[in-house]
Amino acid sequence: MTDAYADTWTVAGRTFSSRLIVGTGKYADYAQNAAAAEAAGADIVTVALRRVNLSDPSQPMLVDHLKPERFTFLPNTAGCFTGEDAVRTLRLAREAGGWNLVKLEVLSDSAHLYPDMIETLRALDLLVKDGFDVMVYCTDDVVMAKRLEEAGAAAVMPAASPIGSGLGIQNRVNIRLIVEQAKVPILVDAGVGTASDAAIAMELGCDAVIANTAIAGAQDPIRMGRAMKHAVIAGREAYLAGRMPKRMYASPSSPLSGLI
């Protein structure tokens, strides 16, 4: 029997127990954010460098509630629409906090927030040459996911559906194909709306799931964080257990022979 709590995963040489990564945006306050992250059992929190206060002590600070010694901070480039902006943002992050493991996202259009994959690939190349370990937000394009891996991505993070939409995984076939062909961790990012979406991502074989709005936007973010935690564990266990084959016709659970 697999012990879910000993079932770790590794990215860029760093090993984590929790397969659920949570965000630090859209919460009522940092205290609620911290409580939800604890309920989710997260080891990693994503940090939008352009939107989170990390350095101004006159204002509420994230690090007063989510302690860097408890959580691994994953700086991201949310809000960047060019490769240059993304690279500049992460270089500033490294200077400010020493963070080397980062999340790259270069957006294309404010209407749907899907990534600009040409700019993303270009920025990835610059960051890899600069010594960063880069987890990359991308479309659920099987070919592009492989190109990101070949370009040095530490992890590939296909969108389940548009950011903040809560629509869940729109293309399970593509996510599964990406997982099957990958040699780096695959994380579903964006579009997760509730716990069952996270479970499906894990059943498809993903290494981890990222959820922000699904938790922060729930009526009870702390309870949703806890639900996501259990969903990720359940989905991972189901993936490792291997689902039964699907059949077109009924098959009785009990033998029919010998009936009186």
Side-chain angles (χ1 to χ4, degrees):
M1 177 179 177
T2 301
D3 180 353
Y5 296 96
D7 179 34
T8 60
W9 68 287
T10 300
V11 57
R14 302 164 175 84
T15 299
F16 301 97
S17 297
S18 173
R19 293 175 180 270
L20 176 60
I21 299 174
V22 301
T24 53
K26 300 186 177 180
Y27 288 92
D29 51 43
Y30 288 144
Q32 184 190 65
N33 192 167
E38 288 290 356
D43 294 333
I44 303 175
V45 294
T46 61
V47 179
L49 293 168
R50 293 186 164 193
R51 298 169 182 160
V52 171
N53 178 31
L54 293 169
S55 58
D56 183 359
S58 68
Q59 301 294 325
M61 292 181 65
L62 178 69
V63 294
D64 289 337
H65 297 272
L66 288 101
K67 303 293 184 182
E69 57 270 27
R70 161 69 180 84
F71 296 99
T72 294
F73 281 21
L74 181 65
N76 70 49
T77 58
C80 291
F81 285 81
T82 68
E84 280 76 13
D85 276 354
V87 171
R88 186 184 312 112
T89 298
L90 292 176
R91 284 174 176 165
L92 289 172
R94 184 162 63 182
E95 289 181 14
W99 295 298
N100 198 60
L101 179 64
V102 297
K103 177 188 170 187
L104 171 65
E105 58 180 80
V106 183
L107 304 176
S108 61
D109 189 297
S110 58
H112 50 67
L113 298 181
Y114 276 131
D116 180 330
M117 292 312 306
I118 303 302
E119 281 291 283
T120 298
L121 194 58
R122 191 167 65 86
L124 171 63
D125 181 59
L126 294 171
L127 291 167
V128 169
K129 288 177 179 175
D130 208 8
F132 284 94
D133 296 319
V134 190
M135 302 171 70
V136 186
Y137 170 59
C138 62
T139 55
D140 62 356
D141 182 315
V142 180
V143 176
M144 186 56 74
K146 196 62 182 175
R147 287 192 176 181
L148 292 172
E149 178 183 317
E150 292 168 352
V156 174
M157 309 164 76
S161 49
I163 291 174
S165 68
L167 291 172
I169 298 175
Q170 295 298 295
N171 196 331
R172 299 184 189 188
V173 173
N174 275 20
I175 297 295
R176 180 59 195 166
L177 286 172
I178 290 171
V179 168
E180 287 183 354
Q181 296 188 12
K183 295 178 181 176
V184 297
I186 302 298
L187 296 82
V188 156
D189 184 8
V192 170
T194 189
S196 57
D197 297 332
I200 290 169
M202 298 309 296
E203 289 177 3
L204 290 171
C206 293
D207 295 277
V209 173
I210 293 182
N212 184 51
T213 307
I215 298 175
Q219 293 183 24
D220 185 339
I222 297 169
R223 175 167 282 186
M224 183 57 83
R226 190 160 55 242
M228 289 285 186
K229 169 185 173 180
H230 292 302
V232 166
I233 293 172
R236 176 66 179 174
E237 286 292 278
Y239 170 71
L240 293 174
R243 66 157 296 140
M244 61 163 283
K246 292 183 179 180
R247 302 187 180 95
M248 182 174 294
Y249 300 104
S251 175
S253 298
S254 301
L256 296 177
S257 60
L259 292 177
I260 298 174

